Amino acid sequence: MSRRKKIYEGKAKILYEGPEPGTLIQYFKDDATAFNAQKHAIIEGKGVLNNRISEFIMGHLNSIGVPTHFIRRLNMREQLIREVEIIPLEVVVRNISAGSISKKLGIAEGEVLPRSIVEFYYKNDELGDPMVAEEHITAFNWATTQELDDIMALALRINDYLSGIFAAVGIRLVDFKLEFGRLFEGEMVRTVLADEISPDSCRLWDAKSNNKLDKDRFRQDMGGLSEAYTEVATRLGIFKDPNSALEA
Ligand code: UDP
């Protein structure tokens, strides 16, 4: 597939060495996994859709001054990104109850939360990404207090911005997961948004019907995943013609 040096392979993406020092190439695979990779399938075209949707979102975030690792999309499945040191946290922002918060706290799916809630999970597949408190994060040096402050502020800003972008196209941003990294620039270290933002990492519901337009379709064996992702991309104006989605 590629003669470039592979740096890391995850469940849905591969990182290759970039063309210049300090850059990487992020390749989006068609693999879908859930429940800590116990469930796996190949969904043709998913990588192409996530590459485009994540490009759109990261590009907009860059343009409003939210620092991200994203530089530019290279082709159907790849984007050029800045190399960062990933902070080992999954940062989840929730607006509406669904998934694990509904299960754990017994809140009905679909209930609007009293305010947006930010949660932290320690990125560790062997442990199943356990939820952790700020106390654990700073005590075990996964991130500093300053980094956590930056992450909180960025996560809430991203939530406000994305909630607006999606609301404008009739989609409710129920919840989503973010990852952050350390960008080293000479003597300076900056906290920047990394990874991807796509329907793999968000819950997106149609505002009228509450139809799921995200990875829950895969988790819950509902089918129609690539059609749902194509719908999200089309509503965001990424594809003028939905039939051309996979030729972009
Ligand atoms: N999420 C993710 N990767 C994970 C876990 C969660 O992208 O490893 C996203 C998920 O798609 C949802 C949000 O984070 O948009 C909150 O997920 P939740 O804690 O409800 O867990 P789930 O029910 O998805 O296991």
Side-chain angles (χ1 to χ4, degrees):
M1 192 196 302
S2 170
R3 276 162 280 110
R4 284 177 304 235
K5 190 171 156 213
K6 195 190 278 187
I7 306 285
Y8 174 80
E9 178 154 5
K11 286 171 244 165
K13 296 188 293 292
I14 306 175
L15 294 177
Y16 294 101
E17 199 170 61
E20 292 152 33
T23 65
L24 296 175
I25 290 167
Q26 179 165 253
Y27 176 98
F28 287 76
K29 303 195 281 186
D30 281 342
D31 297 64
T33 62
F35 312 117
N36 206 5
Q38 290 170 47
K39 181 170 176 169
H40 175 258
I42 302 287
I43 300 189
E44 212 173 308
K46 180 175 80 77
V48 175
L49 290 159
N50 282 351
N51 186 23
R52 295 294 299 258
I53 294 169
S54 200
E55 170 200 19
F56 178 89
I57 293 176
M58 293 270 183
H60 276 78
L61 290 172
N62 278 339
S63 77
I64 61 156
V66 170
T68 84
H69 73 161
F70 177 80
I71 302 173
R72 66 171 183 280
R73 183 170 63 88
L74 296 172
N75 54 47
M76 275 173 67
R77 287 184 183 273
E78 294 178 329
Q79 42 185 249
L80 184 66
I81 59 170
R82 282 180 220 291
E83 184 172 21
V84 299
E85 182 180 281
I86 291 288
I87 295 172
L89 297 175
E90 300 206 337
V91 180
V92 169
V93 185
R94 301 181 186 275
N95 300 306
I96 297 170
S97 183
S100 66
I101 195 173
S102 288
K103 261 188 236 108
K104 258 187 273 188
L105 303 184
I107 305 168
E109 183 176 276
E111 204 162 295
V112 177
L113 296 168
R115 60 180 169 85
S116 300
I117 294 175
V118 181
E119 299 171 343
F120 299 104
Y121 295 82
Y122 177 44
K123 246 173 92 73
N124 184 315
D125 282 339
E126 268 168 48
L127 300 176
D129 298 341
M131 191 193 237
V132 291
E134 294 189 22
E135 280 286 279
H136 301 109
I137 297 169
T138 51
F140 296 119
N141 274 321
W142 298 326
T144 65
T145 308
Q146 177 62 55
E147 284 173 335
L148 272 183
D149 285 352
D150 292 347
I151 286 172
M152 272 299 241
L154 288 170
L156 292 173
R157 212 170 146 215
I158 292 166
N159 184 43
D160 284 348
Y161 187 70
L162 291 189
S163 292
I165 283 199
F166 282 116
V169 297
I171 293 175
R172 300 164 85 195
L173 179 59
V174 173
D175 59 29
F176 57 99
K177 187 260 302 181
L178 301 171
E179 292 186 29
F180 292 88
R182 301 183 181 101
L183 179 64
F184 295 92
E185 289 175 321
E187 297 291 289
M188 295 271 291
V189 190
R190 270 204 302 161
T191 307
V192 306
L193 179 67
D195 194 50
E196 71 181 295
I197 300 184
S198 73
D200 267 9
S201 56
C202 301
R203 284 196 171 91
L204 303 169
W205 294 354
D206 177 73
K208 284 208 193 97
S209 65
N210 279 338
N211 196 9
K212 295 182 200 297
L213 301 171
D214 57 61
K215 206 169 98 174
D216 270 352
R217 300 198 74 86
F218 171 69
R219 294 189 188 95
Q220 299 172 9
D221 294 317
M222 298 168 78
L225 188 105
S226 54
E227 291 79 1
Y229 287 26
T230 303
E231 172 74 20
V232 171
T234 306
R235 286 203 205 174
L236 290 172
I238 296 170
F239 301 130
K240 303 293 168 263
D241 168 10
N243 297 323
S244 70
L246 300 180
E247 292 150 24

